[in-house]
Amino acid sequence: MTSIGGAASSQMVDWNLAVATATRLVRPGPEVSRDEARAVVAELRRHAKASEGHVRGFTRMATEEIHDTPVLVVDRPGWVRANVAGFREILKPLLDKMQERRGNTPGGAVLGAVGGKVTGVELGMLLSFLASRVLGQYETFAPATRELPAGENGGGRLLLVAPNIVHVERELDVQPHDFRLWVCLHEETHRTQFTAVPWLRDHLEGEIQSFLGETEVDPMTVLERIREAAQSLAGGRPEGEEDDGGRSLVEIVQTPAQREILGRLTAVMSLLEGHADFVMDGVGPDVVPSVQEIREKFQQRRAKGASRLDMALRKLLGLDAKLRQYRDGERFVRAVVNEVGMDGFNRVWTSPNTLPTKTEIAKPADWIARVHRKADSGNSGTES
């Protein structure tokens, strides 16, 4: 296996060991014949292609660079490899900073090497858990590798996790053709968001790096939080240990500056996820005959989760917050479109200044008043 970690950051996290651990532990997907597997992959690729036109027509978002971002149909280990590469890219400044701090302590180099392997194993355990749950993903910060191509000029890639899609469509007992297209519509919306809005990727990366740059915790604190999550996966918290009040890994390590940045990030992610849900259901009736049945069953599945262990991990990893983002963001988009139409909603993509705040996600009328009144009050129509 070729190394995918940098020299400094690999001491904090052994990325290759994380991949090896996750691919060893990840549960096998549903049983399918070789011919059926080929048919699923081919159909997902066709649906991804068809979704381009459906999404652009419904959203009225023009994009010329969509073909710069490849669509990859992957298995669970493929999803792990892609995400490890993305994590390494986005976390490298933070890990380098932590490595430098540890290197200045007695025995820091030895502790770093040992800690990196421990963290690699534990991160691999978490990835193995997530790898069986993700249906699709637009990887915004994906570096190209020989096995996993990505778009040129900073473009990302769209991942569709075939075994998970088949697993869920069987579990929900829905029409496979419809469910696969429905999933593709959601993920294609994300690809359209980033290819049609050139500044969005850099803005999001800047916010994430600002958040990570504010991190002043000791490296061992971060590693301990990862260890807690891995222990939950292995069988719950150590005996006698108290719960952290339902806080996620991200929330636990916040500074006041990070809370402000996280508020902005939460608003953006709610917008992106809610918009994708709104689009997949809006396009649905015309091209997905059973969309109402799929949505009802899928929402029930989302709401109930699986076991107590699953729910504990979702809370610790912040996945409960992601579910709220889907719901709150979709309500925001629906309310705005109902009030000012799709073109009026699309003013949200004008600049970072027209993105909704966390408060506006909950109160769409405030966003409409701010953006539309400001834009329409003068003849110039400019945004401040």
Side-chain angles (χ1 to χ4, degrees):
M1 180 182 295
T2 57
S3 175
I4 57 175
S9 60
S10 64
Q11 290 187 345
M12 293 302 301
V13 180
D14 189 329
W15 296 108
N16 293 322
L17 187 55
V19 170
T21 301
T23 53
R24 186 178 72 251
L25 295 178
V26 70
R27 291 179 295 177
E31 290 189 10
V32 295
S33 67
R34 187 179 299 272
D35 288 343
E36 186 178 2
R38 289 197 188 101
V40 170
V41 171
E43 184 174 20
L44 286 172
R45 286 177 176 154
R46 288 197 304 271
H47 285 332
K49 179 65 177 176
S51 294
E52 294 178 19
H54 294 317
V55 170
R56 280 182 286 178
F58 184 80
T59 64
R60 303 178 193 174
M61 297 175 72
T63 173
E64 298 179 355
E65 300 179 3
I66 201 160
H67 297 293
D68 184 44
T69 57
V71 176
L72 305 178
V73 181
V74 298
D75 57 10
R76 290 169 177 176
W79 180 87
V80 168
R81 288 191 293 271
N83 276 265
V84 165
F87 288 155
R88 181 188 63 80
E89 186 81 3
I90 200 71
L91 293 176
K92 187 176 186 303
L94 172 64
L95 294 177
D96 285 349
K97 177 181 176 181
M98 293 168 65
Q99 177 65 28
E100 182 179 358
R101 176 177 295 183
R102 169 167 278 186
N104 293 330
T105 62
V110 174
L111 287 173
V114 174
K117 291 190 178 299
V118 172
T119 307
V121 169
E122 291 167 341
L123 180 60
M125 293 173 66
L126 296 180
L127 287 169
S128 71
F129 168 81
L130 295 171
S132 62
R133 285 158 173 76
V134 176
L135 302 181
Q137 175 183 2
Y138 180 75
E139 276 204 297
T140 315
F141 310 109
T145 66
R146 185 173 57 188
E147 297 177 341
L148 295 164
E152 299 176 2
N153 304 318
R157 57 183 167 230
L158 193 154
L159 303 178
L160 297 169
V161 190
N164 296 350
I165 293 172
V166 171
H167 171 78
V168 174
E169 71 190 28
R170 290 180 178 178
E171 179 184 305
L172 298 181
D173 190 25
V174 292
Q175 213 286 332
H177 171 88
D178 287 4
F179 184 74
R180 295 167 192 177
L181 177 55
W182 189 70
V183 171
C184 287
L185 288 169
H186 182 102
E187 302 310 329
E188 181 58 40
T189 302
H190 286 317
R191 187 162 70 143
T192 297
Q193 290 163 349
F194 283 93
T195 53
V197 185
W199 54 264
L200 184 58
R201 180 188 183 277
D202 288 343
H203 172 72
L204 192 59
E205 182 176 21
E207 292 280 60
I208 292 171
Q209 291 303 336
S210 295
F211 180 88
L212 296 176
E214 289 290 332
T215 300
E216 294 295 342
V217 298
D218 180 80
M220 288 307 297
T221 303
V222 175
L223 301 185
E224 182 60 30
R225 295 309 176 187
I226 296 175
R227 186 164 296 116
E228 286 179 10
Q231 287 169 341
S232 293
L233 183 60
R237 292 180 180 277
E239 187 175 353
E241 196 170 301
E242 294 296 322
D243 190 279
D244 280 307
R247 293 181 296 169
S248 70
L249 285 169
V250 171
E251 293 171 316
I252 288 169
V253 300
Q254 280 182 72
T255 65
Q258 283 178 311
R259 281 193 289 272
E260 183 177 337
I261 298 168
L262 188 64
R264 296 195 300 268
L265 277 170
T266 298
V268 174
M269 297 311 296
S270 295
L271 170 68
L272 298 180
E273 296 294 356
H275 183 232
D277 264 13
F278 178 78
V279 171
M280 72 195 296
D281 288 345
V283 173
D286 291 332
V287 297
V288 182
S290 59
V291 63
Q292 185 173 351
E293 177 193 359
I294 291 173
R295 166 56 71 189
E296 289 175 357
K297 290 183 175 181
F298 195 75
Q299 291 285 51
Q300 291 171 3
R301 183 180 185 273
R302 266 185 185 171
K304 71 180 182 180
S307 63
R308 289 184 62 188
L309 170 59
D310 187 43
M311 296 182 71
L313 268 170
R314 281 181 9 186
K315 181 176 291 185
L316 190 58
L317 296 173
L319 300 183
D320 277 355
K322 187 174 180 65
L323 296 181
R324 290 194 296 273
Q325 289 168 9
Y326 284 112
R327 183 185 65 242
D328 297 345
E330 196 274 341
R331 288 175 181 167
F332 170 84
V333 176
R334 185 174 300 279
V336 172
V337 172
N338 286 342
E339 184 69 23
V340 298
M342 186 64 75
D343 291 336
F345 166 78
N346 280 340
R347 288 188 183 181
V348 77
W349 311 117
T350 304
S351 76
N353 292 332
T354 56
L355 291 171
T357 64
K358 189 175 180 181
T359 300
E360 288 170 342
I361 286 289
K363 297 180 178 180
D366 290 358
W367 179 87
I368 294 171
R370 175 174 68 87
V371 173
H372 282 263
R373 185 172 57 206
K374 188 169 292 186
D376 298 338
S377 61
N379 293 326
S380 65
T382 54
E383 309 289 352
S384 66

